[in-house]
Amino acid sequence: KNQVEQSPQSLIILEGKNCTLQCNYTVSPFSNLRWYKQDTGRGPVSLTIMTFSENTKSNGRYTATLDADTKQSSLHITASQLSDSASYICVVSSMDTGRRALTFGSGTRLQVQP
Amino acid sequence: GAGVSQSPRYKVAKRGQDVALRCDPISGHVSLFWYQQALGQGPEFLTYFQNEAQLDKSGLPSDRFFAERPEGSVSTLKIQRTQQEDSAVYLCASSLEEPIHTQYFGPGTRLTVL
């Protein structure tokens, strides 16, 4: 069964600090991996999309890494801001005989405190 | 508007009632997805359209759930004889074309079944 596990479940950091969120997956066949940011009461917003051949991708203060061999990804947030407080969701896409499936993690809830 | 819109934003239904949730995707987006998100969890895939064709409905939890996109743009998710376990946020997302393009999510409809 395709699964996406995220850790930690929740995280509290002080404004200005860095943090790293983890995502492990068992999805096959792999198509791409996405990180989304979801503010409370809003729909998820895409941060990055990475395919099998991409090891790292940045979007401003967000940097995602992908190790397709170990099936692990991380999202690093640099110099955190109060507005970074949100849930961060890892999503892995697979393509199996023409049927595309997305498997979502449960998310990491990040709280940035002043 | 430029984004995905959903209506209503909030819906309270009595158990046994039928409900219809509407999604207006971004103009020109071929792919449309419906997700169900329980409190504190990541979204769970329900169904996927490419234009008017429903290519994957494997995530629909029961035959009380029905989705349509008759003209390849607006989509409606209908839930018949609602049950308390149907209470969740229903998210709609659209993209230019899968599998690689970014999905843009709507704000969701929060359904509460009493």
Side-chain angles (χ1 to χ4, degrees), chain A:
Chain A
K1 179 184 176 184
N2 289 341
Q3 283 189 315
V4 175
E5 302 285 342
Q6 291 188 243
S7 62
Q9 201 170 25
S10 62
L11 182 63
I12 300 174
I13 62 174
L14 293 177
E15 187 179 12
K17 297 296 185 183
N18 303 336
C19 67
T20 301
L21 315 180
Q22 300 292 341
C23 172
N24 297 340
Y25 61 92
T26 55
V27 174
S28 182
F30 176 87
S31 177
N32 59 70
L33 185 145
R34 316 169 188 212
W35 282 94
Y36 284 89
K37 177 186 179 187
Q38 186 174 24
D39 293 309
T40 302
R42 309 286 292 273
V45 174
S46 178
L47 296 175
T48 63
I49 299 178
M50 288 185 292
T51 59
F52 184 88
S53 60
E54 295 175 296
N55 300 118
T56 185
K57 183 166 279 190
S58 292
N59 178 0
R61 293 179 298 102
Y62 301 102
T63 300
T65 66
L66 173 64
D67 186 334
D69 291 331
T70 61
K71 299 189 177 181
Q72 295 180 327
S73 176
S74 67
L75 180 69
H76 186 74
I77 304 175
T78 304
S80 61
Q81 300 176 358
L82 296 179
S83 59
D84 293 333
S85 296
S87 287
Y88 291 84
I89 302 174
C90 175
V91 185
V92 182
S93 174
S94 66
M95 178 69 77
D96 185 8
T97 59
R99 176 181 171 278
R100 193 210 57 26
L102 291 178
T103 306
F104 284 71
S106 295
T108 292
R109 185 172 298 277
L110 174 66
Q111 185 178 347
V112 180
Q113 293 184 341

